[in-house]
Amino acid sequence: MSKNLSVDHLKHAKEKWLGEVAERASFAMLPGSNLAQAMWTYVNHEKLPRLLKQKGVNFEDWLYKYLRSIEAIDPDGVPIFQEPMPKSGRLVTIYDRFEWDTSQRLHHMYMGAVDQLILETNPVELGAIWTKPEIRDLVKPGTFCYAIRGFRFRVGETINREESRLVYARAKGIEIRLHANTRHMYGSSALYTNFCGSNFSAVFMVAKDVATEGNLLVVNATPLAMGAGFVPSEYHSPYQLKYGWAAA
């Protein structure tokens, strides 16, 4: 009060502070802010190109130009398969349809784009608003969200050696519910270890709707990226999380 701040000055200061907190939260969500082994080992090659274009986020220039030059991606960054379907009976991912070095560059390009999209959109940290009233107020169709906690992965239908998996986490009468296809996973650990059973994961998603099912409030969302190797003690979000770390 001694500084004679006006209402406009106070509003501006609050907006600036909220923006800084949101920016700090977004940086905390990136794998690079966690331990060295943290990585996006699921990236949604179908949904990301359109969302990147909507938000004005570009793929890393040299990677995009190189992959275009060898016709590994189309102008939107969508992969163009270069190798036949592997003959073995295991699950097949997008990365199996390229030479090893090309698959590495493709994955690197998409991981970088995920990081930039997070920084651009400042996703809602669901753990910070884990109450039914807050989720109803703040999460709408199209809202970018983030959750880092235990998830359950339930095996679904397999078509053309690509498996659908239900991904969900529930606590305090609230559930996050997603469907992920193994075609977008990177590496055998993602397929057979990290995204199976009950596992701790970081998930960047876009909400489809918030629905009530009996006493349960369900956030239905599309996963844009899922990460393995994240460690709770290294997640330095400015927000206090309300749902804990355990799979539920």
Side-chain angles (χ1 to χ4, degrees):
M1 297 300 292
S2 63
K3 295 184 178 180
N4 296 317
L5 295 174
S6 67
V7 173
D8 288 340
H9 278 108
L10 289 170
K11 287 181 178 179
H12 176 72
K14 182 177 181 180
E15 290 172 359
K16 182 180 179 182
W17 176 74
L18 290 173
E20 290 173 353
V21 172
E23 186 175 319
R24 284 173 53 206
S26 296
F27 272 106
M29 296 172 184
L30 306 183
S33 299
N34 208 270
L35 296 183
Q37 72 266 25
M39 180 186 293
W40 300 121
T41 47
Y42 171 101
V43 289
N44 194 326
H45 304 84
E46 294 174 16
K47 301 295 184 182
L48 276 168
R50 178 178 59 83
L51 293 172
L52 293 171
K53 184 176 291 187
Q54 286 180 356
K55 297 299 179 180
V57 175
N58 297 317
F59 290 111
E60 188 168 350
D61 189 55
W62 79 268
L63 280 169
Y64 175 83
K65 288 180 178 178
Y66 174 77
L67 292 170
R68 283 285 293 142
S69 72
I70 62 170
E71 299 183 344
I73 56 173
D74 71 10
D76 292 325
V78 176
I80 301 171
F81 294 156
Q82 296 184 320
E83 296 290 324
M85 177 81 76
K87 293 182 180 180
S88 67
R90 64 182 178 84
L91 295 174
V92 174
T93 77
I94 282 172
Y95 300 102
D96 292 316
R97 307 300 296 274
F98 297 91
E99 292 283 352
W100 182 86
D101 57 339
T102 301
S103 71
Q104 301 298 297
R105 293 185 176 98
L106 178 65
H107 184 230
H108 187 79
M109 185 183 78
Y110 266 86
M111 285 197 301
V114 169
D115 287 355
Q116 292 305 309
L117 187 59
I118 287 174
L119 295 176
E120 177 65 29
T121 57
N122 293 326
V124 173
E125 168 55 90
L126 292 177
I129 61 164
W130 201 254
T131 67
K132 292 181 180 181
E134 288 178 288
I135 286 179
R136 287 193 183 99
D137 286 343
L138 296 174
V139 179
K140 309 296 180 185
T143 300
F144 290 90
C145 302
Y146 183 89
I148 180 168
R149 57 156 297 141
F151 283 87
R152 293 192 186 276
F153 299 84
R154 182 183 296 170
V155 172
E157 188 177 16
T158 299
I159 300 176
N160 296 327
R161 290 159 61 191
E162 297 174 345
E163 187 177 272
S164 176
R165 292 182 185 172
L166 172 65
V167 185
Y168 65 98
R170 184 185 301 168
K172 301 180 181 179
I174 301 168
E175 180 175 298
I176 303 170
R177 187 182 298 168
L178 319 106
H179 288 87
N181 193 289
T182 57
R183 76 170 68 96
H184 301 297
M185 294 181 185
Y186 176 80
S188 57
S189 293
L191 286 168
Y192 302 113
T193 304
N194 297 327
F195 302 135
C196 297
S198 296
N199 264 302
F200 184 87
S201 303
V203 179
F204 175 43
M205 67 199 91
V206 60
K208 294 191 290 188
D209 62 62
V210 177
T212 300
E213 297 182 3
N215 293 324
L216 190 66
L217 186 69
V218 180
V219 179
N220 289 297
T222 299
L224 302 178
M226 299 192 298
F230 288 72
V231 176
S233 61
E234 298 299 317
Y235 180 52
H236 302 303
S237 173
Y239 301 121
Q240 181 178 358
L241 304 186
K242 300 177 181 179
Y243 53 29
W245 299 106

